[in-house]
Amino acid sequence: MPQTDPFADMSRSLTSPATEHFSIAPADGVDLPVRPRVLRVVSSGDLAMRDCEGQVITYAVYAGETLQFSAVGVESTGTTATVVGWL
């Protein structure tokens, strides 16, 4: 039976649920191919995120967390956690 989407005719906003996700491979100084709406932590560890000003801050993160941050990049130096991007 085909899936029904009762919300197909509604516009999405920043408070709408994400509808796409993608793997993130940390890389120093490299912008993510798509800037995510938020990040979801798959495995715990440290996460070095770069913002739109180029500032990198490393956070201790835990599996299951959803980070309300639209990172420009995830640096390999300092990152031991695994994250995915949500759009």
Side-chain angles (χ1 to χ4, degrees):
M1 174 180 216
Q3 183 182 52
T4 301
D5 183 358
F7 307 104
D9 294 333
M10 297 184 170
S11 62
R12 294 188 65 226
S13 71
L14 290 177
T15 58
S16 301
T19 59
E20 298 175 54
H21 55 168
F22 60 95
S23 298
I24 293 177
D28 289 338
V30 177
D31 289 352
L32 294 171
V34 177
R35 193 163 175 188
R37 181 185 295 200
V38 298
L39 298 174
R40 177 75 173 180
V41 181
V42 178
S43 67
S44 302
D46 290 332
L47 177 62
M49 296 186 291
R50 186 166 31 87
D51 68 13
C52 61
E53 298 296 322
Q55 182 174 3
V56 176
I57 297 179
T58 302
Y59 296 89
V61 296
Y62 300 92
E65 272 188 274
T66 300
L67 305 174
Q68 302 295 318
F69 187 75
S70 181
V72 172
V74 174
E75 307 298 300
S76 58
T77 301
T79 295
T80 59
T82 303
V83 295
V84 295
W86 284 0
L87 302 175

